[in-house]
Amino acid sequence: MTDSATTATAPVADWVTIVDLYTDPFPIYRRMREESPVHWVPAVNRYLVTGYDACHTIDNDQETYSADESGSLMKRAVGHSMLRRDDPRHLDERKSYGGVLKPRAIKQHWNQIFDENCRVQLDRLLAIGPGADLVWDFCAPYAAENLRQVMGLVNATNQDLQRWSQAMINGAGNYSDDPLVWAESERAFDEVDTALDEILPLLRRNPDHSLLSQMAASPIAMDSIRANMKMTIAGGINEPRDLLGIAVWGLLTRPEQRALVAADPALYSLVFDEAARWVAPIGMYPRETTRETVLGGIELPRGAHLGVVVGAANRDPSVFENPNTFDITREKKPHQAFGGGTHFCAGAWVARASVADVALPHLFNVIPTLRPHPDRPAREEGWVFRGMTSLPVDWDRSTVPAFPGSPS
């Protein structure tokens, strides 16, 4: 069965380099998308799928496009988590998370904790003062502390989680096979195992609201618990951290958009969605074909390794008008930043609540004159995972009021 009457072999994009993808992939994606929705890219040894419709097809056909990729970098970095499984095994492991990450639990329990954590981290940012790097002095510690408490990793520090997360996502995106990246990733892998071995017996005896408490009571095998908790640490920090940084950058560089949100804070939900579309924090994820097939008119053999480039799909001009522009007023259409189908991101609701409902409103209310630093440029980097890697900011100290209610 094919999806096109006319088929062709994939064009070879031998002009693409990993360095160029990391620096700024969007011109590359535009050129590729204009030629074909699928290319063979020797630099990353896989087919990159850049068209919106083709990516959507993959997300909704796990029988043809398997998440259980052979030779997976993610399996090496975090173990065989549910992200690299198909149903029914994927669904069974996903169900083991229970309701911990779902909207009801967020509303009843986690939102208050996110609010408290935001106040603490904002106080820390204000103490550092103008010239602080918003990514590393606010976004990262805020996301890490939220995840630490949601998971119940009370035997680890905020800094531990940040280090583990970055090391493991670097491993999952190590398409250049850098041995130093693997060494850091493997160190994080082992340290997380040690922390899990310490905390799970305690949570079995003293259950609480946390995700690890839920996992301790589940029938899932220990190897799967380990892999899924490592996957949660990896994505559970980088996704909200990078969405928050990108959303702030979008508003700081589009003053007319910022004015709209200042007049109507309910629009922060649109800011969140537009940031996710504009720069998907998880920009590419792998799939493998289970049979010969045709995708977007391109013939693919059985066992083909694919990269589903949602960072490109979300800027497909056939779907999104002026796709390279951050615009919260654009016509609302479904983006693919959180995946789709059975693999829709389990942490999407936590990311939305912590970023759109808590962090963005607090940040701009407390620092109304927040602006990019005049002398230190911001940096946005990555392609498998993409976000602000530096966001130096400035503000007028005289306009910043005390932030009441911060826990001591």
Side-chain angles (χ1 to χ4, degrees):
M1 182 177 179
T2 70
D3 59 2
S4 176
T6 303
T7 65
T9 57
V12 178
D14 53 7
W15 47 273
V16 174
T17 70
I18 291 177
V19 170
D20 288 341
L21 283 169
Y22 183 85
T23 303
D24 183 3
F26 297 114
I28 295 170
Y29 297 158
R30 182 174 62 249
R31 176 179 169 182
M32 293 171 71
R33 210 171 37 230
E34 289 172 353
E35 182 178 352
S36 171
V38 183
H39 284 72
W40 172 253
V41 182
V44 295
N45 197 34
R46 66 183 51 235
Y47 297 88
L48 291 188
V49 183
T50 54
Y52 182 97
D53 289 341
C55 290
H56 181 72
T57 295
I58 292 171
D59 276 342
N60 290 280
D61 184 2
Q62 64 176 320
E63 292 184 0
T64 304
Y65 305 100
S66 173
D68 192 2
E69 184 192 39
S70 59
S72 165
L73 299 185
M74 176 167 278
K75 289 180 187 176
R76 179 173 174 180
V78 307
H80 199 163
S81 75
M82 63 181 175
L83 279 186
R84 296 281 71 80
R85 296 193 188 278
D86 302 313
D87 291 333
R89 180 70 180 271
H90 161 265
L91 185 58
D92 288 342
E93 295 191 9
R94 188 179 178 109
K95 285 179 178 177
S96 71
Y97 279 48
V100 176
L101 307 182
K102 293 184 177 178
R104 182 177 179 180
I106 292 168
K107 181 178 180 180
Q108 292 181 346
H109 187 71
W110 300 119
N111 269 342
Q112 180 180 347
I113 290 173
F114 298 160
D115 188 87
E116 292 170 355
N117 290 341
C118 184
R119 292 172 183 270
V120 169
Q121 296 304 327
L122 271 175
D123 277 350
R124 180 175 175 272
L125 179 69
L126 294 176
I128 295 170
D133 189 316
L134 195 78
V135 174
W136 306 111
D137 295 326
F138 177 66
C139 302
Y142 171 65
E145 187 58 29
N146 287 342
L147 184 67
R148 192 179 77 88
Q149 295 189 46
V150 167
M151 289 189 69
L153 267 172
V154 296
N155 57 330
T157 67
N158 183 309
Q159 293 75 19
D160 287 334
L161 266 75
Q162 290 187 60
R163 178 168 49 83
W164 294 339
S165 175
Q166 194 62 53
M168 289 187 292
I169 67 169
N170 287 347
N174 190 18
Y175 284 88
S176 60
D177 200 27
D178 185 331
L180 295 178
V181 170
W182 283 126
E184 290 297 317
S185 179
E186 289 159 10
R187 185 176 300 113
F189 187 106
D190 292 340
E191 289 180 10
V192 173
D193 277 349
T194 298
L196 292 175
D197 288 344
E198 289 175 351
I199 196 64
L200 285 170
L202 298 176
L203 289 171
R204 289 189 180 101
R205 295 193 297 270
N206 302 283
D208 58 22
H209 292 281
S210 72
L211 180 57
L212 280 169
S213 182
Q214 170 72 26
M215 298 304 293
S218 78
I220 299 299
M222 190 63 198
D223 283 351
S224 292
I225 292 176
R226 292 183 192 280
N228 284 315
M229 293 303 94
K230 288 169 190 160
M231 176 268 293
T232 300
I233 292 170
I237 292 178
N238 96 284
E239 200 163 45
R241 176 197 70 198
D242 293 343
L243 277 171
L244 180 52
I246 287 293
V248 171
W249 181 239
L251 292 176
L252 293 185
T253 53
R254 295 294 303 275
E256 77 285 359
Q257 305 277 305
R258 183 173 176 178
L260 291 173
V261 179
D264 183 5
L267 296 178
Y268 278 118
S269 180
L270 295 182
V271 172
F272 176 85
D273 279 321
E274 178 63 355
R277 182 209 65 83
W278 190 42
V279 183
I282 299 176
M284 187 279 284
Y285 49 84
R287 292 291 185 267
E288 183 174 335
T289 57
T290 61
R291 60 180 178 84
E292 291 184 3
T293 189
V294 173
L295 179 67
I298 300 300
E299 300 165 358
L300 295 173
R302 181 179 183 273
H305 289 244
L306 313 180
V308 184
V309 190
V310 295
N314 284 349
R315 295 198 182 193
D316 190 328
S318 70
V319 179
F320 303 101
E321 187 176 359
N322 297 321
N324 295 323
T325 301
F326 179 87
D327 183 5
I328 65 172
T329 68
R330 71 172 61 253
E331 181 183 355
K332 189 172 179 61
K333 294 182 179 179
H335 61 73
Q336 299 180 26
F338 296 110
T342 189
H343 279 278
F344 181 80
C345 177
W349 296 292
V350 167
R352 179 179 293 276
S354 63
V355 173
D357 298 345
V358 178
L360 286 171
H362 278 338
L363 179 65
F364 283 101
N365 283 342
V366 171
I367 314 180
T369 57
L370 189 71
R371 55 184 177 262
H373 195 278
D375 302 319
R376 295 164 52 200
R379 291 198 311 275
E380 176 192 327
E381 297 172 304
W383 71 285
V384 179
F385 303 94
R386 187 165 181 85
M388 305 303 299
T389 54
S390 182
L391 181 47
V393 289
D394 194 16
W395 64 84
D396 300 332
R397 286 183 183 270
S398 62
T399 65
V400 178
F403 193 27
S406 297
S408 59

